[in-house]
């Protein structure tokens, strides 16, 4: 890396942000077509399944992040052989994990949906959607691994264009399957899965060519326990980040349904979709920083690493402020575009305003926890991520509504984010003079 650090930062982070933004649009596209075609009850049904999406993406992100941290560190240290070994082991681990996860969830799909909050009138719709998603989860997890490998192989722009092409294909399929053929939820789920074939096909062709030092080694695709352990250990905070999002969705679904009924659940679907896009952009900052931070860590260039961290914090704070303003100004527009009307739309608009300050803290938390993870400070990263869904968010989400009702459900997210931000600042101060 020979250009200025700021140029390096934007070279990785901007494509990563765009890629994550586009990835966040996948669910919104499904929700748009479903909401307009079937109404807010169907929108509420697919929102019930979103914690499972988080688990699938979390598994993919754990494996890809854990492996790519090792890939970047070995590249920084000049260890090409181990770099390729880890690259091959990543895909074997991903295939094994996706098959086991899908089989387990499909076997218990009805009890899981009931536990997630699918009311009897929502259960059949949610099941129709989720079964297809689970059957195709291996494609989603493999696509996540390929995109992470491209970013760590100095091709973040290519990853961005591949994801963009997949999104365009997804929109086309949603239009055909949902609006033209009227396959409804089945068609929306099928469109999401089939769209993954685009990034998979292009990525396989790229890594089969001569433009990259990363090469498949078939015999290394069956990973040994040593590499599985290290990949999971390095990537575990990433799984925790997605479990946090899934727990947030689950707890919010429960509480929105309890205090607002199905209109409240549909309103939360709007809030969730709106916030998820901004959250993915913030995730893009953190994911874009990871290859740089891991490389500088492996090369023992700690001063440059801290400079990259400052850039990430500044950008996250700026975009967090923008996200807050957009959420407030668009509080009536977002429900209408997703087909939510009348009572549910009014509830959603109020919820968007109350929850909007969360964006200011969210980006800082993601940047800080990913920086800890990329530089192998796994304990503080894990405390930030797992302490959230295990303690802080549930306390806010189940405590505040006792006093404020449905408004307390919407206020839980910003309050819990600022508590986490305080913990992040404490960890950063505690570790500021520590070099590993």
């Amino acid at each position: 890396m020979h250009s200025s650090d700021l140029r390096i930062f934007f070279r990785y982070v901007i494509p990563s942000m765009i890629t994550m933004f586009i990835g966040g649009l996948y669910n919104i596209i499904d929700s748009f077509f479903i909401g307009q075609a079937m109404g807010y009850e169907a929108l509420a049904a697919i929102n019930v399944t979103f914690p499972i999406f988080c688990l699938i993406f979390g598994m993919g992100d754990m494996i890809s992040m854990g492996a790519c941290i090792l890939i970047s560190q070995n590249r920084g240290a000049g260890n090409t052989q181990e770099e390729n070994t880890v690259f091959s082991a990543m895909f074997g681990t991903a295939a094994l994990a996706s098959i086991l996860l899908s089989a387990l969830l499909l076997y218990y799909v009805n009890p899981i949906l009931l536990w997630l909050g699918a009311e009897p009138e929502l259960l059949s719709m949610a099941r129709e959607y989720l079964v297809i998603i689970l059957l195709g989860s291996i494609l989603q997890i493999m696509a996540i691994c390929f995109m992470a490998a491209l970013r760590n192989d100095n091709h973040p722009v290519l990853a961005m264009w591949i994801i963009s092409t997949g999104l365009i294909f997804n929109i086309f399929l949603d239009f055909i399957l949902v609006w033209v053929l009227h396959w409804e939820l089945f068609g929306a789920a099928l469109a999401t899965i089939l769209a993954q074939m685009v990034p998979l096909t292009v990525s396989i062709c790229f890594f089969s060519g001569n433009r990259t030092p990363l090469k498949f080694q078939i015999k290394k695709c069956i990973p040994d326990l040593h590499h599985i352990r290290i990949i999971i250990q390095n990537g575990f905070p990433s799984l925790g980040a997605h479990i946090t999002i899934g727990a947030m969705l689950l707890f919010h679904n429960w509480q929105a349904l309890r205090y607002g009924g199905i209109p409240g659940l549909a309103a939360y679907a709007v809030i969730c979709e709106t916030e998820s896009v901004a959250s993915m952009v913030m995730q893009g900052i953190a994911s874009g920083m990871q290859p740089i931070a891991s490389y500088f860590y492996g090369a023992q260039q700690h001063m440059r690493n801290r400079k990259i961290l400052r850039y990430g914090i500044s950008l996250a704070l700026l975009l967090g402020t923008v996200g807050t303003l957009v959420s407030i100004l668009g509080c009536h527009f977002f429900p209408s575009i997703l087909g939510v009307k009348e009572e549910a739309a009014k509830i959603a608009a109020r919820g968007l305003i109350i929850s909007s300050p969360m964006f200011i803290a969210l980006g800082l938390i993601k940047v800080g926890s990913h920086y800890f993870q990329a530089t192998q400070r796994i304990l503080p990263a894990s405390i930030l991520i797992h302490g959230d869904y295990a303690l802080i968010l549930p306390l806010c989400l189940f405590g505040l509504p006792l006093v404020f009702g449905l408004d307390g459900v919407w206020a839980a997210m910003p309050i819990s984010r600022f508590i986490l931000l305080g913990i992040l600042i404490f960890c950063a101060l505690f570790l500021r003079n520590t070099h590993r």
Side-chain angles (χ1 to χ4, degrees), residues 257-278:
L257 192 61
R258 177 180 178 182
Y259 288 94
I262 292 181
L265 183 58
Y268 178 61
V270 176
I271 297 168
C272 171
E273 295 285 8
T274 306
E275 293 181 348
S276 69
V277 174

Side-chain angles (χ1 to χ4, degrees), residues 284-323:
I285 301 174
S287 296
M289 286 175 53
Q290 176 268 310
I292 315 171
S294 296
Y295 181 94
F296 284 159
Y297 180 80
Q300 300 293 306
Q301 298 183 32
H302 300 299
M303 292 294 292
R304 298 182 73 186
N305 226 353
R306 286 195 288 271
K307 190 185 297 184
I308 294 299
L309 175 61
R310 289 196 295 271
Y311 295 151
I313 289 172
S314 300
L315 184 57
L317 187 59
L318 173 63
L319 293 182
T321 304
V322 172

Side-chain angles (χ1 to χ4, degrees), residues 210-229:
N210 298 318
R211 294 182 59 192
T212 171
L214 288 175
K215 301 296 179 186
F216 284 113
Q217 298 174 334
I218 300 299
K219 62 181 180 180
K220 297 292 180 66
C221 283
I222 302 176
D224 55 43
L225 292 177
H226 170 71
H227 282 103
I228 292 176
R229 179 183 64 80

Side-chain angles (χ1 to χ4, degrees), residues 23-38:
L25 290 179
Y26 273 85
N27 284 341
I28 287 188
I29 295 302
D30 278 357
S31 297
F32 168 76
F33 282 99
I34 289 170
Q36 295 293 336
M38 301 179 65

Side-chain angles (χ1 to χ4, degrees), residues 383-397:
I383 290 172
L384 283 168
I385 294 169
H386 298 293
D388 180 26
Y389 73 85
L391 179 63
I392 298 171
L393 180 61
L395 285 176
C396 294
L397 193 51

Side-chain angles (χ1 to χ4, degrees), residues 5-323:
D5 291 334
L6 184 60
R7 187 179 304 168
I8 292 170
F9 174 81
F10 282 118
R11 179 189 170 199
Y12 280 81
V13 168
I14 295 300
S16 177
M17 288 169 54
I18 296 174
T19 301
M20 290 294 181
F21 172 76
I22 293 169
L25 290 179
Y26 273 85
N27 284 341
I28 287 188
I29 295 302
D30 278 357
S31 297
F32 168 76
F33 282 99
I34 289 170
Q36 295 293 336
M38 301 179 65
Y40 73 78
E41 292 88 353
L43 196 62
I46 65 169
N47 198 65
V48 167
T49 70
F50 282 173
I52 303 300
F53 267 96
C54 293
L55 187 57
I56 293 170
F57 279 99
M59 188 68 68
D61 205 20
M62 176 184 72
I63 295 167
S64 63
M65 180 69 78
C68 286
I69 286 173
L70 291 176
I71 289 171
S72 292
Q73 288 177 353
N74 279 289
R75 180 168 293 185
N79 192 346
T80 303
Q81 182 177 353
E82 179 64 13
E83 179 185 348
N84 281 289
T85 297
V86 174
F87 177 66
S88 301
M90 173 172 64
F91 292 100
T93 305
L96 177 62
S98 60
I99 291 170
L100 292 176
L101 178 65
S102 298
L104 179 64
L105 294 178
L106 282 168
Y107 187 79
Y108 293 105
V109 64
N110 278 352
I112 288 172
L113 285 172
L114 290 171
W115 180 71
L116 290 175
E119 295 288 291
E121 58 267 44
L122 303 179
L123 181 59
S124 62
M125 291 189 289
R127 188 181 190 279
E128 179 182 356
Y129 186 77
L130 182 59
V131 167
I132 302 301
I133 295 298
L134 290 175
L135 288 173
S137 64
I138 188 170
L139 301 180
Q140 293 179 300
I141 290 176
M142 287 294 185
I144 291 169
C145 290
F146 271 120
M147 293 306 101
L150 282 169
R151 288 195 300 270
N152 280 265
D153 194 43
N154 298 325
H155 294 94
V157 176
L158 178 60
M160 178 188 73
W161 285 115
I162 292 174
I163 289 291
S164 301
T165 306
L167 177 65
I168 293 170
F169 191 51
N170 189 38
I171 294 172
F172 172 76
L173 288 174
D174 266 323
F175 176 76
I176 297 298
L177 299 180
V178 179
W179 280 7
V180 176
L181 297 180
H182 303 290
W183 288 4
E184 298 182 337
L185 290 165
F186 172 82
L190 187 61
T192 298
I193 295 303
L194 291 178
Q196 303 304 314
M197 296 301 297
V198 174
L200 280 174
T201 302
V202 177
S203 299
I204 290 171
C205 292
F206 176 81
F207 283 108
S208 299
N210 298 318
R211 294 182 59 192
T212 171
L214 288 175
K215 301 296 179 186
F216 284 113
Q217 298 174 334
I218 300 299
K219 62 181 180 180
K220 297 292 180 66
C221 283
I222 302 176
D224 55 43
L225 292 177
H226 170 71
H227 282 103
I228 292 176
R229 179 183 64 80
I230 296 178
I231 288 171
I232 292 176
Q233 177 181 304
N234 281 345
F236 189 66
S238 292
L239 174 62
H242 287 276
I243 290 177
T244 297
I245 297 172
M248 174 197 75
L249 294 171
L250 173 62
F251 297 153
H252 273 87
N253 283 342
W254 285 350
Q255 293 295 81
L257 192 61
R258 177 180 178 182
Y259 288 94
I262 292 181
L265 183 58
Y268 178 61
V270 176
I271 297 168
C272 171
E273 295 285 8
T274 306
E275 293 181 348
S276 69
V277 174
S279 179
M280 291 293 278
V281 173
M282 301 296 188
Q283 180 70 31
I285 301 174
S287 296
M289 286 175 53
Q290 176 268 310
I292 315 171
S294 296
Y295 181 94
F296 284 159
Y297 180 80
Q300 300 293 306
Q301 298 183 32
H302 300 299
M303 292 294 292
R304 298 182 73 186
N305 226 353
R306 286 195 288 271
K307 190 185 297 184
I308 294 299
L309 175 61
R310 289 196 295 271
Y311 295 151
I313 289 172
S314 300
L315 184 57
L317 187 59
L318 173 63
L319 293 182
T321 304
V322 172

